[in-house]
Amino acid sequence: MMRPLRRNRCRGEVPRGNVFRLIGSKRQKEGAKMPVTEIIYQQIVEKSHDAILFSNLDGMIDLWNSGAEEIFGYKKEEAVGKSLDLIIPEKLRQRHWDGYHKVMETGESRYGKELLKVPAIRKDGTGISVEFTIMLVRNHRNEIIGTAAIIRDVTERWKQEKELKQKIRLLENKSASESPS
């Protein structure tokens, strides 16, 4: 079973970098092998084609997997330690932060069960459509230390749905104009 994340004693935050370095780090220093379940968890997170990220209470990115690199175009080294603003379009940032801070204060979010569909931005400035869920991450004292998100790029599906809706609208308009009144 994964151990809870430890807070940095100096700043009260989860240390920046790969969260899995925290798991079993003492055993690794002592030369012990990582338990199989931890290896499984690490591979699921690191090799997922969906973006999996963790951001701390302040919205700073502490975990950025290879799926996030593929979707958003930032390497782990470029994203870790940066604000979530990295992937949030400018016009949506205030709304995002209002919601983020509310979730951090209340410990409640409907997006643990419901998919949130929003625009996002890639490193090259390209707009994309994403769907995601979040989960609150808590320490061993049940205090919220941040959020984890699983994010999927649905840009192609969104484009196809938009085209299909346009075709349906055209057919409806054509049908309405051809039908006798």
Side-chain angles (χ1 to χ4, degrees):
M1 188 167 165
M2 291 176 48
R3 284 192 251 158
L5 300 174
R6 291 179 271 155
R7 289 180 179 256
N8 181 316
R9 291 182 192 141
C10 300
R11 297 179 57 199
E13 299 175 353
V14 174
R16 296 213 186 325
N18 186 334
V19 173
F20 288 106
R21 286 188 202 140
L22 299 174
I23 301 170
S25 60
K26 184 176 181 183
R27 282 190 304 271
Q28 289 171 349
K29 287 178 186 172
E30 296 169 356
K33 292 184 179 180
M34 188 184 308
V36 173
T37 53
E38 290 180 17
I39 293 169
I40 292 168
Y41 291 152
Q42 183 175 14
Q43 287 187 27
I44 290 170
V45 170
E46 288 300 324
K47 295 183 179 186
S48 173
H49 292 285
D50 288 336
I52 300 176
L53 47 114
F54 171 82
S55 58
N56 66 23
L57 292 171
D58 298 322
M60 303 302 279
I61 299 165
D62 285 332
L63 172 69
W64 187 264
N65 77 338
S66 62
E69 290 182 350
E70 290 175 35
I71 291 172
F72 296 108
Y74 291 96
K75 294 289 183 200
K76 182 183 300 188
E77 298 77 23
E78 296 173 288
V80 170
K82 301 286 190 314
S83 166
L84 287 170
D85 284 346
L86 202 61
I87 59 174
I88 302 169
E90 179 77 36
K91 66 182 182 180
L92 299 177
R93 288 181 186 163
Q94 185 61 50
R95 183 174 172 192
H96 163 80
W97 290 114
D98 290 345
Y100 192 90
H101 294 302
K102 183 178 180 184
V103 169
M104 293 299 108
E105 290 170 15
T106 65
E108 297 177 14
S109 172
R110 69 178 190 233
Y111 299 116
K113 294 180 183 176
E114 296 177 28
L115 277 176
L116 178 59
K117 300 174 185 182
V118 296
I121 51 174
R122 292 179 41 82
K123 181 179 179 179
D124 65 7
T126 306
I128 60 173
S129 295
V130 298
E131 293 179 342
F132 68 97
T133 58
I134 67 164
M135 63 214 78
L136 295 173
V137 179
R138 297 173 184 270
N139 66 14
H140 65 283
R141 292 184 300 266
N142 204 33
E143 300 166 329
I144 297 171
I145 58 172
T147 62
I150 300 175
I151 305 169
R152 177 166 289 170
D153 182 350
V154 294
T155 305
E156 288 306 311
R157 184 178 72 204
W158 183 83
K159 286 178 183 177
Q160 291 170 354
E161 288 173 0
K162 185 176 176 182
E163 289 173 12
L164 184 59
K165 287 176 185 177
Q166 289 174 338
K167 288 177 183 178
I168 290 170
R169 199 175 10 239
L170 286 172
L171 288 173
E172 287 173 342
N173 290 340
K174 184 177 179 183
S175 176
S177 66
E178 291 177 355
S179 64
S181 301

